Amino acid sequence: MQTKKIRPADTYAPLYFLVSLGTGGLVVTFFMWLMHWVPHPGRSVPLFEDIVAAFSSGDLMMRSMIVIALIGIAWFSFQNLRYLAWNLRRYHRWKQTEAYTRLRSTNAETQLLAMPLAMAMSVNVCFMLGMVFVPGLWNVVEYLFPLALLAFLGIGVLALQLLGQFLGRVLVTGGFSCTDNNSFAQAMPAFALAMIGVGLAAPAGLSANRIVAGAGLVFSTFFLIAAALIGGIALILGLRSLLENGANIETAPTFSVFIPLLTILGILSLRQSHGLDEHFALAGSAADRLMLLSQYLSAQLLCLLLAALVLVRLHYFARFLVGREISAGSYALVCPGVALAVMLHFWLNRGLVDAGLIGKFSVSYWIISGLAMLFQFATIWLVATLNRRHFGTTDQ
């Protein structure tokens, strides 16, 4: 008798958009190497020309770092776009099934916001690819920023439509189960809106055109406030149900959702601050950035401790990472590792170094950078493990 090869991922769920999101986040972690270790005088971000110059004049360590970073960016960008395309195809077919109809009548409807979340990340990935691999990009970048604003606004409209359908249903006809809300799954819309907001803030921080930068500031502020409000509501509703009902093991990874949310809001705030400085002479000091990033990082560490406490007590890792159980929600664990790696780079370079507390490339500098890289490579291992479990074939 011939056996049929199946994959757990063949039983589709919209949370598989987090596969694309996570690999896109890993692109950002490798871009952090270039952003903070490659000189790029006169610009906020490194470009192809800066990377070539650093490679040409750098020592063996610099060249090795650049090669590894470029390979990492190229590989995980490919994976990001590949899994986004796979998800969009599967999602289109899945919408025709009864599983989609059932999901639209439950609390889990907000999982659909994983689609615009992943799409916004992929737009960011495309910009990083352009900066790193396209010569002369900055000569035409002012034409690209308005297109980027339109792309993110289009994704934002999609996200608001999906969220509006959910809120319209539960606020008019009811049906939201507080008992089943014993997680922070309802923070998914805030995560998606924040990702759109940080994309809109990029022209605010990078464009030399005052109108384009101003538009980025205004639009990104809307999504910043929307994400903060929805995230706060999700936190309160989730805590209330958790204290009464305890945690649901399959949705337990959502305990860590506020870690990436805070990183995105932190980067959004930095981009807005830079744009205000460049175009409106409203500069924030190095001390202001140090305090802002320290506050975000402190909140993230508290969220990490809470998430670790719950996941360990539920034996989540033993059951869903090395055990027999499979859940698409496990991919939510990828985002915190990426977020902490990125936040540590910003906290170190835009906070501690800019404030003069740590010297650039000192021993202390490399200790903190090493911690960021530890989170980065642990996350790469996690992605590889989850992909093997979810996309590897088994006999049936």
Side-chain angles (χ1 to χ4, degrees), residues 203-218:
L206 298 176
S207 177
N209 185 295
R210 185 185 177 94
I211 300 300
V212 172
L217 283 168
V218 172

Side-chain angles (χ1 to χ4, degrees), residues 105-300:
S105 63
T106 68
N107 292 9
E109 184 178 359
T110 52
Q111 291 181 11
L112 300 180
L113 272 293
M115 177 172 61
L117 171 60
M119 293 169 67
M121 172 58 86
S122 292
V123 176
N124 285 316
V125 166
C126 289
F127 256 89
M128 284 182 282
L129 283 172
M131 287 187 288
V132 170
F133 292 109
V134 179
L137 179 72
W138 225 241
N139 296 327
V140 297
V141 74
E142 292 299 338
Y143 298 100
L144 299 179
F145 283 138
L147 296 178
L149 288 174
L150 290 175
F152 282 114
L153 286 173
I155 297 171
V157 169
L158 172 62
L160 291 172
Q161 285 178 336
L162 293 172
L163 180 58
Q165 290 170 359
F166 169 72
L167 292 176
R169 174 176 64 83
V170 299
L171 293 177
V172 174
T173 63
F176 184 83
S177 173
C178 290
T179 301
D180 294 337
N181 189 43
N182 51 341
S183 69
F184 295 128
Q186 296 307 314
M188 179 69 77
F191 195 3
L193 294 174
M195 185 66 74
I196 294 164
V198 79
L200 289 166
L206 298 176
S207 177
N209 185 295
R210 185 185 177 94
I211 300 300
V212 172
L217 283 168
V218 172
F219 290 131
S220 63
T221 297
F222 171 83
F223 285 95
L224 167 65
I225 297 302
L229 287 174
I230 294 170
I233 293 169
L235 176 64
I236 294 170
L237 288 176
L239 279 175
R240 186 262 181 200
S241 182
L242 282 162
L243 292 173
E244 181 178 351
N245 303 297
N248 179 338
I249 188 168
E250 283 215 40
T251 56
T254 62
F255 273 74
S256 62
V257 71
F258 290 100
I259 299 174
L261 178 59
L262 287 165
T263 289
I264 294 170
L265 294 180
I267 297 172
L268 194 164
S269 300
L270 288 176
R271 288 177 171 179
Q272 288 189 334
S273 177
H274 185 73
L276 289 169
D277 180 24
E278 289 291 320
H279 297 283
F280 304 98
L282 296 173
S285 67
D288 292 332
R289 290 195 300 273
L290 173 62
M291 290 306 300
L292 176 69
L293 293 171
S294 295
Q295 289 160 4
Y296 277 116
L297 181 59
S298 297
Q300 287 179 303

Side-chain angles (χ1 to χ4, degrees), residues 57-94:
S57 61
D59 57 15
L60 179 60
M61 289 294 293
M62 174 65 78
R63 292 184 176 188
S64 300
M65 179 276 292
I66 290 174
V67 169
I68 296 171
L70 293 180
I71 292 173
I73 289 170
W75 172 249
F76 286 110
S77 295
F78 167 72
Q79 294 294 326
N80 168 262
L81 298 174
R82 170 195 173 199
Y83 282 115
L84 178 65
W86 177 85
N87 269 284
L88 290 173
R89 291 195 302 268
R90 293 301 306 270
Y91 179 81
H92 178 72
R93 295 201 297 266
W94 177 73

